[in-house]
């Protein structure tokens, strides 16, 4: 399986900037909306939901609407991100949402997550994690038996036009490589998830000029590729980049960049007894291993 080289220092800087933003980027909230539409395909209602990096994921309203009775958790990348998230979630006494929905419990990613939740949701965060395999293993530990995972991330066709522009000019890569959805599916199986389903779609963003495009790209992250330029670029180089982007305007005079959005969901397979000539299974473990949702009601059945 191909490796994904990233600069860990640059990656940490990008994550801090995303966590410090006053609101999730528009693209994140749009992907959260689309991912929320997929929840209707899951025939079960979790009583607890954990968002991974919920502050920059833009999924609060989607999840509150889908599961108004569920207890909410939110894991954030660092103590400062936790403080910002708690402040953003604090509701005034007169807010209707203060009385109709529970305020999520906010946790630091560095802490051990002991919650065993019915749904772990991660929107547009996985591509900022250096080791997807380790992340999947950690997510699995946070899920209850038969809980399910839903996530979205950028795929390898993201910013294909910008990558082509950089190659034409002999410049290093503008972004670290993103992992293919088939490799992510294999990683889910390796981590012990069951029935993984992966799909993808293309979202094209357009801007009236190069400066607007570059400003939004910065809001969406940064370049963590260790093969990128080793030093800061000059104003002259930036003008050259803007001119090159402007030269690629479409028929409507707008700059277009493509984002491949990969969606995945999978279930946390319950423990299974090892087959032997004689196998003893505790009654509680047997119930966990045989519990399945009813196709018609989505409720557990034994």
């Amino acid at each position: 399986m191909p490796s994904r080289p990233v600069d860990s220092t640059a990656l940490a800087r990008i994550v801090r900037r995303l966590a410090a933003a006053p609101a999730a980027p528009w693209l994140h909230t749009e992907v959260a909306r689309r991912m929320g539409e997929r929840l209707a395909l899951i025939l079960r209602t979790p009583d607890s939901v954990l968002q991974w990096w919920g502050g920059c994921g833009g999924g609060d309203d989607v999840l509150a609407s889908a599961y108004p009775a569920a207890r909410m958790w939110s894991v954030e990348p660092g103590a400062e991100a936790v403080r910002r998230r708690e402040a953003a979630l604090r509701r005034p006494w007169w807010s209707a949402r203060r009385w109709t929905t529970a305020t999520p419990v906010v946790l630091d990613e560095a802490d051990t997550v002991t919650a065993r939740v019915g749904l772990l949701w991660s929107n547009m965060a996985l591509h900022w994690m250096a080791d997807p395999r380790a992340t999947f293993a950690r997510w699995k530990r946070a899920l209850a038996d038969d809980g399910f995972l839903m996530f979205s991330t950028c795929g390898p066709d993201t910013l294909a036009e910008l990558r082509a522009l950089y190659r034409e000019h002999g410049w290093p890569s503008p972004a670290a490589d993103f992992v293919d959805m088939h490799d992510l599916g294999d990683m889910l199986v390796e981590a012990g998830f069951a029935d993984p389903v992966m799909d993808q779609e293309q979202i094209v963003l357009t801007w009236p000029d190069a400066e607007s495009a570059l400003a939004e790209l910065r809001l969406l992250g940064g370049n963590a590729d260790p093969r990128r330029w080793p030093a800061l670029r000059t104003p002259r180089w930036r003008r050259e980049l803007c001119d090159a982007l402007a030269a690629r305007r479409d028929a409507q005079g707008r700059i277009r960049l493509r984002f491949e959005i990969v969606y995945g969901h999978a279930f946390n397979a319950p423990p299974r007894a090892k087959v032997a000539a004689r196998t003893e299974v505790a009654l509680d473990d047997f119930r966990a291993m045989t519990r399945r949702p009813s196709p018609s009601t989505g409720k557990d059945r034994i």
Side-chain angles (χ1 to χ4, degrees), residues 34-70:
R34 298 184 185 203
M35 191 159 72
E37 293 174 348
R38 289 164 161 77
L39 291 172
L41 303 175
I42 307 299
L43 299 179
R44 62 189 66 185
T45 301
D47 60 4
S48 53
V49 176
L50 188 153
Q51 287 192 75
W52 208 272
W53 296 9
C56 60
D60 287 341
D61 291 342
V62 171
L63 292 169
S65 176
Y67 308 117

Side-chain angles (χ1 to χ4, degrees), residues 11-22:
L11 203 61
R13 185 166 56 247
I14 291 167
V15 171
R16 286 196 301 270
R17 188 170 68 247
L18 285 169

Side-chain angles (χ1 to χ4, degrees), residues 212-235:
S212 300
L214 295 177
E216 185 155 2
L217 288 179
R218 180 171 176 78
L219 289 177
L220 290 170
N223 190 352
D225 195 321
R227 301 160 294 186
R228 69 190 186 283
W229 289 108
L232 295 175
R233 298 292 85 211
T234 64

Side-chain angles (χ1 to χ4, degrees), residues 60-62 64-65 89 91-104:
D60 287 341
D61 291 342
V62 171
S65 176
L89 291 169
R91 297 161 186 158
W93 66 268
W94 45 262
S95 170
R97 293 190 63 186
R98 180 183 180 94
W99 312 105
T100 58
T101 59
T103 300

Side-chain angles (χ1 to χ4, degrees), residues 207-209 246 248-256:
W207 299 270
D209 53 62
R248 290 173 172 258
R249 292 175 188 269
D250 63 14
Q252 288 72 44
R254 299 184 66 85
I255 294 168
R256 302 166 57 90

